[in-house]
Amino acid sequence: MANEELVNKLKEQIIQYLNLIDVTPEDIKSEAPLFGPDSEMELDSIDAIELTVLLEREYGIKITDPKKGRKVMSSVDKMADYILENGMV
Amino acid sequence: MFIRDLSCISPQATYFDALFENGAEELHGPKLWAKEPSYKEIIPNKLLRRMSKLTRMSVGTGLPLIKKHKDIEGIIIASSNGSLDRSMRFLNQIIDYNEGTLTPTDFVQSTPNSIAGVLALMGKITGYNTTHVNQGLSFEASVLDALMLFEEGKSKQLLLGGGEEMSDENYNIDSQRGLHKAEDISTSELLHSTTKGTLPGEGFAMFVVDANKNSESLAEIVDADMICHASKEEIVKKAKYLITKNGMSPRDIDTLFLGRNGDIRTDFYYNHLQNTLFSDQNICFYKNLTGDYYTVSTFATWLAAKFLGGAKLPEECFWKQTTNAVQNVLLYNNYDGEQHGFILMRTV
């Protein structure tokens, strides 16, 4: 299970990087999908690149394989898990 | 070319035309911010979050016009700086992150033609799409572009407009060029100033223009012209040329809209033109409402179109008011005393 402090920090960074309007960290469900038809966030491919940049700049993680990126960025929880395993936290 | 509809965001309350009911608001420097409307009903949050201020203002003025007038065939935009702020952010990131991965949003928004592109995508207008970026003459060039398209029969209805945002980057660059006042000054003091520089402003004005007059036409843009690096005598000559070329004499002009901006280095151009050719006309100013920016003649055109359409201008606009009936209007503006633009308008 992802570290709660990291999850909250990540939600704030997602709001900042994607410039989400009228969205608070509480509005983002940690386990909910970030992309795809079941997502409430309505993120798109440009957002995926923005999140790739976030991971690289904030946590030193480089995502070069799109398939891997899709898995890592499937939810905030998944992103936090991956950061705890691979990133500079 | 006939103006059918128009919209304007500026430092004054122009979006809902409150300027004509409540008068001009006195504003203080160092820069004049545009009064933006709430965009929530115009732009979905998903798109709004990626837009620069300039793109927001252009969509805020342009998209409601596109939705209202379904026959618009193409888009012509004037913006010299575009979203310069985004360009600078993008360039700074290349240095800050040692040429590493860059975010796409700033790059996408960094060019002036992103405005016309976004409007075309949102309004589904697949026709002519052009952006003019030649500094203080961007809008005059856009007007000529539209006039020529109509003359060649290549289009019948266009969305024409332009504007700038005064971001921190824009402000700093222009300040270093010595374009701004060093002292604190308000809009009511600006035109009486005897020092160098002006008040910077920002805004966006958009027009739906038709090749042919129709029952909805509000005003006509007859012609436009421009000249660079000219003497005050050449400005008079150019104004005469434009007026006579269109079958009028200077006496037929009843109202002059001048871009006087309180800069002692360049205001003599306006004085000379006014004193030489137009001693008996209404003299209107507008930079004491909006401040100065490259495409401020969009605001002047918006104001003149409203005036020609019967709106009562705020008293702050009149330097000299006569009893002349308003029929033919000449707009003259210069940017930094180097680029001089003229737009000739009349009633329909």
Side-chain angles (χ1 to χ4, degrees):
Chain A
M1 177 61 83
N3 175 307
E4 198 183 324
E5 193 185 336
L6 175 61
V7 166
N8 288 333
K9 187 177 165 192
L10 204 47
K11 285 179 183 176
E12 281 172 15
Q13 288 168 334
I14 289 171
I15 291 169
Q16 180 205 328
Y17 270 73
L18 305 187
N19 196 22
L20 298 177
I21 299 167
D22 295 338
V23 176
T24 65
E26 293 73 36
D27 297 329
I28 304 174
K29 290 173 191 154
S30 309
E31 71 291 348
L34 287 171
F35 296 91
D38 299 328
S39 169
E40 289 177 11
M41 305 272 291
E42 293 187 273
L43 304 187
D44 58 23
S45 56
I46 293 179
D47 295 313
I49 304 173
E50 296 281 2
L51 293 184
T52 308
V53 173
L54 183 162
L55 288 171
E56 186 175 327
R57 288 187 186 168
E58 305 291 338
Y59 302 100
I61 293 171
K62 275 199 173 193
I63 306 264
T64 49
D65 179 3
K67 281 184 188 170
K68 190 175 169 189
R70 220 168 283 156
K71 275 187 185 173
V72 172
M73 290 184 274
S74 60
S75 70
V76 179
D77 268 352
K78 287 277 191 302
M79 281 178 79
D81 285 338
Y82 192 79
I83 291 165
L84 287 171
E85 284 167 27
N86 302 280
M88 297 181 290
V89 185
Chain B
M1 177 162 84
F2 297 87
I3 296 173
R4 195 197 323 172
D5 206 349
L6 64 178
S7 179
C8 179
I9 292 173
S10 77
Q12 298 292 334
T14 49
Y15 196 66
F16 296 108
D17 286 353
L19 173 69
F20 304 109
E21 290 160 27
N22 307 332
E25 189 182 332
E26 182 174 10
L27 302 167
H28 296 264
K31 44 186 164 181
L32 308 183
W33 304 103
K35 288 192 195 326
E36 293 182 272
S38 166
Y39 295 109
K40 284 188 178 174
E41 285 165 18
I42 307 167
I43 312 169
N45 270 354
K46 190 183 168 183
L47 300 174
L48 187 59
R49 67 189 165 95
R50 290 209 186 107
M51 288 180 181
S52 66
K53 186 177 192 179
L54 183 70
T55 312
R56 283 199 312 261
M57 292 195 291
S58 65
V59 175
T61 49
L63 195 60
L65 293 177
I66 291 173
K67 286 185 174 171
K68 188 174 163 193
H69 304 280
K70 306 282 186 199
D71 55 353
I72 293 171
E73 297 168 339
I75 300 170
I76 303 176
I77 295 295
S79 183
S80 181
N81 279 329
S83 301
L84 183 74
D85 199 34
R86 299 292 179 114
S87 306
M88 294 303 287
R89 252 201 266 176
F90 180 71
L91 293 172
N92 284 333
Q93 283 182 20
I94 294 176
I95 298 163
D96 294 345
Y97 296 100
N98 197 25
E99 298 186 19
T101 314
L102 298 168
T103 62
T105 308
D106 288 332
F107 176 68
V108 170
Q109 298 263 331
S110 63
T111 58
N113 59 9
S114 66
I115 303 164
V118 167
L119 279 166
L121 285 170
M122 293 182 78
K124 297 184 175 56
I125 295 176
T126 54
Y128 191 80
N129 192 295
T130 295
T131 304
H132 293 266
V133 297
N134 44 328
Q135 299 193 320
L137 297 174
S138 305
F139 185 62
E140 285 76 1
S142 300
V143 169
L144 285 176
D145 192 354
L147 284 166
M148 287 191 286
L149 275 180
F150 288 155
E151 203 174 296
E152 291 170 10
K154 290 184 176 168
S155 188
K156 284 184 177 171
Q157 300 86 212
L158 291 165
L159 184 71
L160 167 73
E164 312 287 343
E165 71 169 291
M166 185 52 64
S167 69
D168 289 344
E169 297 289 356
N170 296 72
Y171 180 78
N172 292 339
I173 292 168
D174 289 348
S175 288
Q176 285 177 33
R177 286 176 62 198
L179 295 180
H180 302 156
K181 293 277 184 210
E183 67 277 16
D184 288 335
I185 193 163
S186 71
T187 47
S188 63
E189 298 160 332
L190 181 67
L191 300 182
H192 304 283
S193 169
T194 53
T195 60
K196 295 175 186 173
T198 186
L199 266 176
E202 60 179 7
F204 214 102
M206 205 71 93
F207 308 89
V208 177
V209 288
D210 295 303
N212 302 310
K213 185 179 168 183
N214 60 54
S215 59
E216 293 175 80
S217 298
L218 301 168
E220 182 182 2
I221 298 179
V222 182
D223 206 349
D225 209 338
M226 55 187 92
I227 187 170
C228 293
H229 309 293
S231 67
K232 59 183 183 181
E233 290 77 19
E234 286 170 314
I235 296 302
V236 171
K237 206 173 152 188
K238 191 62 152 175
K240 262 189 195 170
Y241 169 76
L242 177 68
I243 294 164
T244 50
K245 181 186 157 201
N246 287 284
M248 290 183 255
S249 79
R251 283 187 159 205
D252 295 322
I253 302 295
D254 46 73
T255 307
L256 201 59
F257 278 74
L258 295 176
R260 177 188 278 267
N261 69 356
D263 189 332
I264 196 169
R265 297 169 298 188
T266 53
D267 274 351
F268 69 90
Y269 281 107
Y270 302 107
N271 296 338
H272 186 69
L273 180 67
Q274 180 188 331
N275 296 337
T276 311
L277 285 185
F278 304 106
S279 53
D280 300 321
Q281 280 80 351
N282 290 315
I283 305 292
C284 293
F285 297 144
Y286 51 90
K287 288 183 185 169
N288 53 334
L289 272 62
T290 60
D292 205 353
Y293 47 98
Y294 282 122
T295 44
V296 70
S297 48
T298 54
F299 180 85
T301 304
W302 176 84
L303 199 63
K306 288 282 183 186
F307 190 45
L308 287 166
K312 188 171 175 272
L313 297 190
E315 60 182 26
E316 291 85 352
C317 290
F318 288 98
W319 190 255
K320 193 175 87 182
Q321 195 166 8
T322 67
T323 52
N324 294 345
V326 184
Q327 277 189 317
N328 301 310
V329 171
L330 179 69
L331 279 62
Y332 163 59
N333 177 52
N334 78 60
Y335 193 84
D336 199 17
E338 291 182 352
Q339 296 174 302
H340 307 265
F342 301 86
I343 297 175
L344 187 59
M345 298 174 70
R346 67 180 163 214
T347 47
V348 289

